[in-house]
């Protein structure tokens, strides 16, 4: 059996690698290689650069403004970006709401939202979860009432990632209170519309990526509805399955695993490199075989995209295995770092003009905050308990 990539894919990999080497701004690369979370300014800047090369929608078809790349090329592109310290292109627009708009929305909505998004001009926030509706998302109560040519929205959303950077929000709202799934719609709302309030939630790593959002008589035109009224649940399922498949994050896991080996080679314990400790090395080997299994599962899933005869709930399976691996690798980073992993180093304030990176090896400062953040990956996009229930019902027939 030959596990090598095709020669044409290898040529493509070299093309992507040399583009990133020439085009990625040094400050963005440096922040990422120190393992700080990419901020939205970096993501937008990188999106604009990649757009000029014609590559800002690796997973979209050519007639929608995408590259039309094969699944393998998309995978290689993500791998090379991660390995080089480039930020992820904005997942919310690229892999979630963008495809929903060009599949279920109007051509005008594609022109109005998707094309500016590809130029790095739109950042999205996903307003699905509510204080009383997370796992039971269909129980959401944020209301959108039709009044003439507008919808008037009232309600409360929570856990919205990066809402404070977003200029547009996509919300699931209740348009028919007499129904559950069949009474939900998907609507696009400007983040600065009168009546929208966005408040920060600070996370365990002292970072601000999460928010809650309040909607008080927010008026949006009916033209902002995506698809049909009360069909939002169908669109949400389409979108969430993409979110789950993405959660396997093989390129991130690969990069973080390579980093773990690097730390273990550089760290000395009991007079020798940690990587030579038999117990630690055995755990590394287990992680490596889990990572290989996840990689091949992901590549199989990519190769069979759109194949209706393949009934595996792939999104849920990849989500469970990929997120658990992220957490295990993150925990071992911290263990291997020793004292350096005991403190959350805030990112230096570049705005002051006078900044110093924290002491210690380059790769260390952002790792504890990242490992703490990774506690959430088994929760967001639908918790792993819920994914296990989906696998049990859909595949095992339990
Ligand atoms: C970092 C982070 C970012 C997020 N970003 C966004 C975002 O951008 N937009 C957005 O809309 N939402 C976002 N979320 C919200 C996320 O989707 C929800 O937290 C998630 O769906 C779980 O819902 P909940 O928090 O209400 O927990 P609950 O549904 O209250 O669940 C609590 C616990 O009970 C378990 N549980 C619940 N029901 C069952 C069941 N039937 N069977 C077995 N176990 C069950 C769950 O697995 C979980 O462990 C984010 C969350 C986090 C942590």
């Amino acid at each position: 059996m030959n596990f090598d990539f095709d020669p044409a894919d290898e040529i493509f990999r070299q093309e992507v690698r040399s583009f990133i080497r020439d085009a990625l701004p040094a400050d963005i690369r440096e922040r990422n290689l120190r393992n700080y979370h990419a901020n939205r300014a970096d993501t937008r800047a990188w999106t604009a650069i990649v757009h000029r090369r014609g590559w800002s929608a690796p997973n979209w078809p050519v007639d929608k403004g995408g590259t039309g790349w094969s699944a393998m090329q998309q995978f290689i592109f993500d791998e090379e970006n991660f390995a080089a310290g480039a930020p992820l292109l904005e997942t919310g627009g690229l892999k979630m709401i963008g495809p929903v708009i060009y599949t279920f929305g109007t051509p005008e909505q594609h022109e109005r939202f998707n094309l500016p998004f590809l130029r790095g001009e739109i950042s999205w926030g996903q307003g699905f979860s509510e204080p009383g509706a997370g796992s039971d998302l269909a129980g959401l109560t944020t209301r959108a009432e039709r009044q003439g040519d507008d919808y008037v929205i009232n309600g409360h959303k929570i856990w919205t990632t990066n809402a404070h950077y977003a200029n547009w929000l996509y919300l699931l709202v209740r348009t028919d209170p007499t129904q559950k799934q069949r009474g939900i719609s998907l609507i696009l709302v400007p983040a600065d519309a009168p009546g929208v309030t966005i408040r920060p939630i600070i996370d365990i790593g002292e970072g601000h990526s999460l928010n809650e959002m309040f909607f008080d008589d927010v008026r949006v035109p009916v033209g902002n509805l995506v698809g049909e009224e009360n069909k939002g649940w169908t669109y949400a399922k389409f979108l969430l399955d993409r979110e789950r498949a993405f959660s396997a994050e093989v390129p991130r896991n690969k990069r973080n695993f390579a980093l773990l080996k690097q730390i273990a080679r550089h760290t000395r314990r009991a007079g020798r490199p940690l990587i030579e400790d038999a117990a630690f090395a055995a755990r590394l080997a287990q992680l490596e075989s889990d990572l290989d299994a996840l990689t091949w599962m992901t590549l199989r899933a990519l190769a069979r995209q759109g194949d209706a005869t393949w009934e595996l709930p792939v999104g849920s399976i990849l989500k469970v295995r990929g997120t658990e691996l992220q957490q295990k690798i993150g925990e071992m980073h911290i263990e291997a770092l020793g004292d350096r992993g005991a403190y959350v180093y805030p990112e230096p304030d570049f705005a002051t003009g006078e900044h110093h990176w924290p002491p210690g090896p380059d790769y260390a400062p952002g790792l504890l905050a990242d490992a703490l953040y990774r506690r959430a990956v088994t929760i967001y996009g639908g918790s792993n308990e819920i994914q296990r229930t989906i696998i049990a019902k859909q595949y095992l027939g339990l």
Side-chain angles (χ1 to χ4, degrees):
M1 206 180 289
N2 179 8
F3 287 116
D4 291 341
F5 285 89
D6 281 346
D9 286 332
E10 284 302 341
I11 292 169
F12 174 76
R13 183 187 291 284
Q14 294 310 323
E15 188 186 350
V16 171
R17 191 173 291 176
S18 71
F19 164 72
I20 299 172
R21 193 181 45 234
D22 296 343
L24 182 65
D27 60 325
I28 298 183
R29 184 195 308 266
E30 188 155 19
R31 261 195 294 287
N32 275 284
L33 292 180
R34 284 170 198 270
N35 294 297
Y36 286 112
H37 256 186
N39 58 44
R40 272 292 161 107
D42 286 359
T43 305
R44 274 193 181 188
W46 183 231
T47 302
I49 293 168
V50 172
H51 179 71
R52 288 197 286 279
R53 182 69 179 76
W55 285 355
S56 57
N59 60 319
W60 293 11
V62 173
D63 65 335
K64 304 298 179 202
T67 58
W69 282 343
S70 68
M72 188 59 79
Q73 287 175 309
Q74 295 169 39
F75 183 82
I76 290 171
F77 181 77
D78 280 354
E79 252 191 351
E80 290 300 317
N81 272 270
F82 260 108
L88 268 184
L89 299 176
E90 193 183 311
T91 315
L94 210 49
K95 302 207 168 145
M96 294 189 257
I97 187 66
V100 171
I101 289 176
Y102 68 63
T103 308
F104 302 104
T106 61
E108 292 72 33
Q109 286 174 333
H110 180 67
E111 291 267 330
R112 184 171 166 212
F113 296 104
N114 280 344
L115 300 186
F117 166 75
L118 292 184
R119 297 193 292 268
E121 293 163 16
I122 288 188
S123 277
W124 291 102
Q126 181 195 75
F128 283 13
S129 306
E130 298 183 0
S135 299
D136 181 22
L137 185 59
L140 62 90
T141 58
T142 293
R143 187 84 169 91
E145 271 180 278
R146 181 84 189 251
Q147 288 184 12
D149 290 338
D150 292 337
Y151 283 101
V152 178
I153 302 172
N154 282 286
H156 179 187
K157 298 283 179 183
I158 195 162
W159 311 124
T160 322
T161 301
N162 286 328
H164 53 310
Y165 291 120
N167 43 10
W168 280 88
L169 310 166
Y170 54 101
L171 305 187
L172 284 181
V173 289
R174 182 151 306 283
T175 33
D176 183 349
T178 68
Q179 300 289 325
K180 202 170 179 187
Q181 280 93 341
R182 290 194 192 143
I184 293 174
S185 300
L186 179 64
I187 197 158
L188 309 177
V189 178
D192 61 356
V196 177
T197 307
I198 296 174
R199 288 199 198 136
I201 300 173
I202 303 303
D203 68 38
I204 189 175
E206 296 173 13
H208 174 200
S209 66
L210 295 170
N211 302 274
E212 57 184 330
M213 307 193 292
F214 300 87
F215 299 86
D216 295 301
D217 287 331
V218 175
R219 227 165 234 284
V220 291
V222 287
N224 286 19
L225 191 76
V226 179
E228 291 176 49
E229 194 178 79
N230 296 326
K231 290 275 176 67
W233 191 247
T234 308
Y235 313 143
K237 279 200 297 188
F238 173 93
L239 181 152
L240 285 171
D241 203 47
R242 278 168 163 68
E243 183 172 357
R244 280 164 203 157
F246 162 78
S247 310
E249 294 221 51
V250 170
R252 182 194 299 279
N253 271 318
K254 278 189 157 182
R255 175 188 178 266
N256 284 348
F257 182 72
L259 175 62
L260 177 58
K261 287 212 285 198
Q262 186 192 351
I263 301 171
R265 273 194 295 271
H266 289 158
T267 306
R268 293 188 77 79
R269 294 275 158 79
R272 60 181 179 176
L274 182 59
I275 203 160
E276 290 173 14
D277 176 278
F280 195 89
R283 287 163 66 205
L284 269 185
Q286 179 64 55
L287 280 187
E288 189 152 24
S289 57
D290 289 349
L291 178 55
D292 279 347
L294 181 71
T295 305
W296 291 110
M297 176 81 188
T298 303
L299 291 174
R300 268 179 79 200
L302 290 174
R304 297 190 61 167
Q305 244 176 10
D307 176 352
T309 62
W310 210 38
E311 288 166 356
L312 226 51
V314 166
S316 298
I317 294 172
L318 291 177
K319 201 222 160 192
V320 170
R321 298 311 299 252
T323 51
E324 288 177 353
L325 197 56
Q326 284 183 56
Q327 292 181 342
K328 285 184 200 155
I329 295 173
E331 281 157 19
M332 282 184 73
H333 280 158
I334 302 313
E335 197 181 320
L337 280 174
D339 292 350
R340 300 273 182 217
Y343 182 71
V344 171
Y345 293 96
E347 204 178 323
D349 184 357
F350 289 87
T352 62
E354 203 184 296
H355 65 269
H356 303 284
W357 292 108
D362 283 356
Y363 50 66
L367 281 178
L368 179 56
D370 189 61
L372 292 171
Y373 181 82
R374 302 270 144 229
R375 302 312 306 155
V377 296
T378 46
I379 302 172
Y380 62 58
S383 75
N384 282 18
E385 289 79 13
I386 299 295
Q387 303 318 313
R388 286 193 162 86
T389 304
I390 292 172
I391 296 165
K393 277 194 187 151
Q394 275 186 19
Y395 188 58
L396 304 173
L398 298 174

